[in-house]
Amino acid sequence: MWKVKPPIVFPKETRYRPILEGLVPPDPMSQFHLKRRSPEDEFPDLCRNSTWMGRILTPAMYCRQFDRCTHSGVIFDDVIRPGLEEPGDWSATLSVGCAAGDAQSYILFCDFFDRVIEAFHKHKVTSQTPESDLNYDNLKGGDNLDRSYAISCEVSVIRAVEDFCFPTHCSRGERRQLLSLARRALQRLQEELPGRLLSVEDLNQEQRTELKLDSPSAFQLRTGVARDWPDARAVWVSEDGGLVVWINIEDHLRLVCTRQDANITETFKNIYSHLQKVRRRNAAAGIKNRFSSVKSASSDLLKLQDVYRDLRHPFIWKQQLGWVTSSPADVGTGLRVKVKVKLQHLPGHRRLQDVLKRLRISMEKTESPVLYCVSNMATFGVSEVMLTQLVVDGVKLLITMETRLEGGGDIDDLVPAQK
């Protein structure tokens, strides 16, 4: 019985077949000497798997991917391993259950990845370039959240670096080279935005707690993300503490801006202005302008993407997917907007999950029983400003519902229509 209705035909498979066949080594199994049996014998048990991978993968699809291998040695079993190691829970939100080993995985296994991306982000993968809008003037209401409920906010952006495998597949040498590259890039920015690079190996427990740096989970160790921990892992912190860059922690790079006043507009403005000079470089390289709407930023802010391009290792971008990272859950914009909200009555309400689904946001518990972290679900299919606006509008509605419940009222009339 199909859990997700399959398409009658596979148009993406047909469209990309010439490219796929050209990328497949003549005999990948003899190249790697993998002793495997037939695809039918190797097909995993997905009966209790509660991930999008488990819902979408079929024996026929597995068979089509079985003998494919990227140039860096990623095979399809490597891609689906995260979903097999952590099959999920039927009562929780479905995770993607897979991870790309390198950027080429999204091309070679496109008929699988495209369907996972479409299912998770609720948006079709087409031949058109994903929409982008970094103009913070288009963001409405992000600077006036009710401070009695909205405690703090965080905006983070994930980027992967060209010519390097992703964390689940990269070697020690690659990881150390990524760290060396980050050190060179950040040193070039020392005058514009001073900061310090801290090796995770040298941090004591108090410093790790201050930076909110947790030890790797068992899942990260099993999937290889935390392999050789803490070798070649580092954190760069700006002098004013407004910007943190995580290096080789879960992704190649993760830029994080945090504010304690929950001013999402200012946080969004700060982190994306770091990337604004890429417009001129892209135009010079003949690449379509993906940042035509970003406003000018002050010259003292970080221009990390420019520096990486100068070092001949630009961030990975694909025409149909946008910014590419190891997880299909983060492709497109790589943007994650989080707001900590104080809620006491709403979390136990019977309509909460329906409300969150309609608002296209998620809400997770924190270390405090009354604080919840609200964030965007999708990163693909809509622009950066639109994703941020979804969180802003969602937080405002949740606060309105909370105040209604505090007064003993009902919130059924506040439940939004399906977006």
Side-chain angles (χ1 to χ4, degrees):
M1 178 66 66
W2 287 89
K3 296 170 186 160
V4 174
K5 185 177 180 181
I8 298 175
V9 295
F10 295 92
K12 292 184 177 63
E13 172 77 8
T14 304
R15 185 196 318 163
Y16 295 128
R17 181 172 292 280
I19 300 175
L20 297 175
E21 296 299 336
L23 293 172
V24 178
D27 189 355
M29 294 306 102
S30 63
Q31 178 181 352
F32 293 101
H33 303 286
L34 300 178
K35 295 182 179 180
R36 302 193 298 175
R37 298 191 178 276
S38 68
E40 293 77 14
D41 292 334
E42 297 288 347
F43 186 73
D45 181 7
L46 302 176
C47 295
R48 291 172 293 279
N49 196 289
S50 181
T51 67
W52 282 115
M53 178 277 295
R55 290 194 172 194
I56 288 171
L57 186 61
T58 65
M61 180 179 286
Y62 183 79
C63 184
R64 290 197 302 275
Q65 321 296 326
F66 190 70
D67 286 328
R68 296 174 183 169
C69 175
T70 70
H71 294 319
S72 59
V74 179
I75 61 175
F76 190 64
D77 278 354
D78 297 327
V79 168
I80 64 175
R81 180 175 294 119
L84 301 178
E85 293 287 350
E86 194 165 281
D89 184 351
W90 289 106
S91 62
T93 303
L94 291 183
S95 65
V96 290
C98 57
D102 54 19
Q104 191 185 1
S105 300
Y106 283 104
I107 300 174
L108 198 62
F109 309 117
C110 63
D111 51 328
F112 168 75
F113 272 121
D114 285 354
R115 293 193 67 194
V116 171
I117 291 170
E118 290 172 351
F120 183 83
H121 297 280
K122 305 295 188 294
H123 188 86
K124 280 284 185 182
V125 176
T126 68
S127 58
Q128 296 180 348
T129 302
E131 178 187 359
S132 181
D133 180 10
L134 305 180
N135 187 348
Y136 49 83
D137 279 347
N138 294 334
L139 185 59
K140 308 301 180 185
D143 55 353
N144 62 359
L145 295 179
D146 189 338
R147 291 293 311 281
S148 301
Y149 297 91
I151 307 303
S152 64
C153 67
E154 173 187 294
V155 176
S156 64
V157 178
I158 296 173
R159 290 292 183 262
V161 181
E162 194 74 63
D163 300 325
F164 291 92
C165 290
F166 293 150
T168 57
H169 194 69
C170 73
S171 65
R172 298 184 197 91
E174 280 186 298
R175 197 180 302 111
R176 290 166 183 169
Q177 190 176 353
L178 277 165
L179 177 57
S180 176
L181 190 65
R183 182 180 290 110
R184 290 166 57 196
L186 292 166
Q187 283 175 348
R188 291 192 182 190
L189 297 165
Q190 193 65 25
E191 291 185 5
E192 298 181 51
L193 189 65
R196 55 198 178 114
L197 185 66
L198 307 172
S199 171
V200 173
E201 291 181 282
D202 299 332
L203 298 178
N204 57 38
Q205 188 58 47
E206 182 180 349
Q207 290 172 312
R208 295 190 185 196
T209 302
E210 183 181 351
L211 291 169
K212 300 178 182 179
L213 180 61
D214 299 324
S215 299
S217 65
F219 173 70
Q220 290 174 323
L221 291 169
R222 291 197 304 269
T223 56
V225 173
R227 190 186 303 114
D228 304 309
W229 183 274
D231 181 68
R233 273 77 173 190
V235 181
W236 183 89
V237 184
S238 65
E239 195 172 79
D240 61 4
L243 177 68
V244 177
V245 181
W246 301 89
I247 305 165
N248 289 330
I249 303 298
E250 294 181 355
D251 297 273
H252 290 171
L253 294 170
R254 181 170 177 251
L255 285 71
V256 183
C257 279
T258 306
R259 287 181 70 97
Q260 298 305 315
D261 59 359
N263 189 331
I264 298 179
T265 299
E266 195 64 27
T267 313
F268 179 91
K269 171 183 173 181
N270 286 344
I271 198 164
Y272 271 109
S273 61
H274 304 338
L275 307 175
Q276 61 99 12
K277 283 173 66 176
V278 74
R279 292 176 296 166
R280 173 167 47 82
R281 301 300 178 88
N282 279 349
I287 302 175
K288 185 175 180 180
N289 185 357
R290 302 186 293 277
F291 298 94
S292 57
S293 59
V294 64
K295 294 179 69 70
S296 296
S298 55
S299 59
D300 62 340
L301 290 176
L302 178 63
K303 308 299 184 296
L304 192 59
Q305 187 157 334
D306 278 333
V307 177
Y308 269 85
R309 186 175 295 278
D310 290 341
L311 294 172
R312 300 183 183 277
H313 289 285
F315 298 151
I316 304 174
W317 187 86
K318 302 295 183 185
Q319 180 178 350
Q320 295 176 320
L321 299 177
W323 299 109
V324 170
T325 64
S326 60
S327 174
D330 296 317
V331 301
T333 62
L335 171 67
R336 194 68 58 186
V337 181
K338 298 181 180 180
V339 183
K340 283 190 176 180
V341 186
K342 185 178 179 181
L343 302 171
Q344 291 181 296
H345 301 83
L346 186 59
H349 196 275
R350 57 182 176 81
R351 297 295 302 273
L352 175 62
Q353 293 305 316
D354 185 35
V355 169
L356 295 175
K357 181 178 180 181
R358 297 184 180 209
L359 292 174
R360 298 171 66 185
I361 58 177
S362 65
M363 192 173 86
E364 299 178 353
K365 296 179 180 179
T366 66
E367 63 281 355
S368 170
V370 296
L371 281 183
Y372 292 82
C373 182
V374 179
S375 65
N376 55 302
M377 289 282 292
T379 61
F380 174 77
V382 293
S383 70
E384 294 84 354
V385 165
M386 184 64 72
L387 287 174
T388 309
Q389 192 68 60
L390 286 173
V391 177
V392 171
D393 295 343
V395 169
K396 287 190 172 185
L397 182 58
L398 294 180
I399 291 175
T400 301
M401 291 180 168
E402 177 71 11
T403 55
R404 177 80 67 87
L405 292 173
E406 285 176 350
D410 188 76
I411 64 171
D412 286 345
D413 62 312
L414 296 177
V415 176
Q418 183 71 50
K419 290 192 176 183

